[in-house]
Amino acid sequence: MEGHYVYRVNASASAVRAGTVTAEEIQPAISFSAPPEFNGQAGQWTPEHMLLASVVGCFISTFSGMAEFSKFEFFSLDVEAEGVIEKDETGWRFSRIVLRPRLKIAQNDRDRERAKRLLEKSEKTCLVTRSLAFPIALEPEIESVEEVVESGKLGSSIPIS
């Protein structure tokens, strides 16, 4: 593994407080606007939403990679992120993000503890969350579900490992 990696994106203004973000060899381009509360257009991706999307994307990638390495199977993982922006003496800034992962696993007390540890470790080792200068709170919900076996196969929920 190399000692560093470089990622590049480009943005072009398309209107007041709005534009398009592109990255080489990645489709589609993303149109964005400032949020409505900052005189932007409603119904558009905002830089604030993209930051939260980066956090949850990194969290899911980190967790699923660690689960695969640890041979930990799970049925599903959904993560909600809530970012809080507050005004201080220097201006508006994110003051915290709350991550609410919802993880479904097989009914097993030992796996429940492993799941909790993997979720906590994912938050601490995710590249994006480690790079932010404000606190990240983790409020996990772990649901144990019964495995449904039909014809020797798991039902509609196929474990991800």
Side-chain angles (χ1 to χ4, degrees):
M1 192 171 228
E2 293 187 35
H4 75 281
Y5 297 94
V6 176
Y7 297 87
R8 290 185 179 85
V9 297
N10 298 298
S12 299
S14 59
V16 176
R17 296 182 183 87
T20 304
V21 174
T22 60
E24 190 174 314
E25 298 182 19
I26 298 175
Q27 293 296 324
I30 301 171
S31 296
F32 68 91
S33 170
E37 40 293 346
F38 295 111
N39 301 315
Q41 301 169 16
Q44 295 280 317
W45 277 95
T46 69
E48 294 79 1
H49 287 105
M50 287 191 260
L51 175 65
L52 294 174
S54 295
V55 169
V56 294
C58 183
F59 182 87
I60 286 175
S61 298
T62 302
F63 178 85
S64 61
M66 289 173 37
E68 178 183 44
F69 181 80
S70 302
K71 300 190 181 353
F72 179 81
E73 292 186 347
F74 61 97
F75 291 98
S76 66
L77 174 61
D78 297 302
V79 182
E80 173 188 295
E82 178 181 272
V84 177
I85 297 175
E86 296 177 323
K87 191 171 187 178
D88 63 16
E89 62 279 353
T90 62
W92 291 99
R93 63 185 298 270
F94 275 91
S95 59
R96 70 183 172 280
I97 290 178
V98 178
L99 291 179
R100 295 185 182 99
R102 290 178 304 281
L103 180 66
K104 289 187 180 179
I105 62 171
Q107 288 186 335
N108 179 325
D109 288 338
R110 188 176 77 82
D111 281 351
R112 191 173 191 76
E113 277 305 309
R114 281 184 70 204
K116 186 173 185 238
R117 285 193 311 272
L118 280 172
L119 288 167
E120 290 169 352
K121 188 173 180 182
S122 297
E123 185 273 320
K124 287 180 177 32
T125 60
C126 164
L127 171 76
V128 174
T129 59
R130 289 178 351 122
S131 301
L132 299 172
F134 50 82
I136 308 293
L138 187 65
E139 297 177 358
E141 177 184 315
I142 302 169
E143 181 182 348
S144 297
V145 295
E146 289 186 40
E147 295 181 48
V148 179
V149 179
E150 293 178 16
S151 305
K153 295 183 179 179
L154 288 170
S156 60
S157 295
I158 299 173
I160 302 168
S161 61

